Amino acid sequence: MKKIEAIIKPFKLDDVREALGELGITGMTVQEVKGFGRQKGHTELYRGAEYMVDFLPKVKVEIVVAKEDAERCVESIIESAHTGKIGDGKIFVTDVERVIRIRTGEEDEAAI
C-alpha cells in the first residue's frame, strides 16, 4: 500500500476531491496547513505598512491506496491541482506497512 500526501492550494481542494472520487477513492484526510517553498511567502500592505507573510495557507490531503492504484491517484492530483503558477504544491508518496480499521479489526487493503 502507498500513502499519498499532497500539499495543494486551498481553492483546488474541491477539484482534487472530485477527481479522486472519480477514481473510486472513498476516504481522505484533509488539513489546513501553512508553509512555503521556493516562493518564500509574499509582502502585503496593511494600513499603509508593508509586512512579510512568510507562511502561505495550503491544504494537505492524505490518502492511503493499494500499490497498483497509487500512480493513477498521483496523476489525477497533478491534473486537478495544477495551475501552472508557483506554489502549486508537492506530492509525497511513501510505503505503508500496515493498516488496521479500529471498528472491525480488518487489516491492510480490506481496511482501506
Side-chain angles (χ1 to χ4, degrees):
M1 292 170 296
K2 298 287 187 177
K3 179 179 184 180
I4 301 170
E5 296 177 76
I7 310 295
I8 61 172
K9 292 182 175 186
F11 68 89
K12 286 300 208 169
L13 177 59
D14 285 338
D15 295 340
V16 170
R17 184 181 51 80
E18 288 175 18
L20 290 172
E22 290 174 7
L23 295 179
I25 304 302
T26 58
M28 65 179 62
T29 301
V30 176
Q31 299 176 40
E32 292 180 4
V33 296
K34 292 183 178 184
F36 68 91
R38 289 187 178 150
Q39 66 202 107
K40 309 246 190 304
H42 63 279
T43 57
E44 288 190 5
L45 200 59
Y46 179 71
R47 294 188 177 186
E50 194 173 273
Y51 66 99
M52 184 68 179
V53 177
D54 290 330
F55 295 98
L56 300 173
K58 301 286 183 178
V59 172
K60 181 179 182 181
V61 177
E62 297 176 286
I63 60 173
V64 176
V65 297
K67 189 176 187 177
E68 52 273 4
D69 295 333
E71 193 56 38
R72 287 186 315 132
C73 290
V74 167
E75 290 171 7
S76 181
I77 293 169
I78 291 169
E79 288 176 23
S80 57
H82 180 264
T83 67
K85 295 187 169 69
I86 194 165
D88 271 356
K90 297 236 178 357
I91 300 173
F92 305 93
V93 181
T94 55
D95 289 323
V96 174
E97 290 184 27
R98 189 174 178 200
V99 176
I100 304 159
R101 185 186 311 269
I102 295 173
R103 179 177 53 87
T104 61
E106 292 171 297
E107 292 198 27
D108 299 328
E109 291 185 17
I112 306 176

